[in-house]
Amino acid sequence: MGRAQGIVEPGNSSLAPIDREAFRQQYGQEGLFRLRLGVEAAEQPPKAGAAPQPCPAASWAGSLQKQRYAAAMGLRKYYAAGEALGEWRRLCPATP
């Protein structure tokens, strides 16, 4: 077996509403990896007994999470940006 080269992204699922490929092209594989780790951390289900939270905004564009994402991206803090995105995805799951 050959050695794996580069960073392997955990999971291959969509990062909607963010375009994963556009993000990778702009910020690189490492940035995408850190973003994905933040998303996965924030998407964890709440602890048992925690009260469910409603979706905080009608859209990603109008949400506090989008503002936190933009601020983190301005500082190139990809993990923190991923946490904001993951929180949005957890609180406002996409409906089919």
Side-chain angles (χ1 to χ4, degrees), residues 39-79:
V39 168
E40 287 182 356
E43 284 185 327
Q44 296 300 312
K47 294 186 183 345
Q53 295 177 312
C55 183
S59 71
W60 166 247
S63 71
L64 278 172
Q65 288 83 3
K66 169 71 164 128
Q67 292 174 18
R68 287 185 18 234
Y69 171 88
M73 288 304 297
L75 298 171
R76 293 198 179 265
K77 295 187 178 264
Y78 307 120
Y79 186 88

Side-chain angles (χ1 to χ4, degrees), residues 6-90:
I7 298 172
V8 177
E9 180 185 347
N12 197 24
S13 62
S14 167
L15 290 174
I18 305 302
D19 181 330
R20 201 176 68 149
E21 277 308 308
F23 189 96
R24 182 193 326 263
Q25 288 177 6
Q26 186 167 359
Y27 300 105
Q29 182 66 30
E30 183 177 348
L32 180 62
F33 178 78
R34 292 177 187 276
L35 179 81
R36 186 72 199 151
L37 287 176
V39 168
E40 287 182 356
E43 284 185 327
Q44 296 300 312
K47 294 186 183 345
Q53 295 177 312
C55 183
S59 71
W60 166 247
S63 71
L64 278 172
Q65 288 83 3
K66 169 71 164 128
Q67 292 174 18
R68 287 185 18 234
Y69 171 88
M73 288 304 297
L75 298 171
R76 293 198 179 265
K77 295 187 178 264
Y78 307 120
Y79 186 88
E83 288 179 313
L85 175 58
E87 181 179 321
W88 167 261
R89 290 168 49 103
R90 179 174 44 82

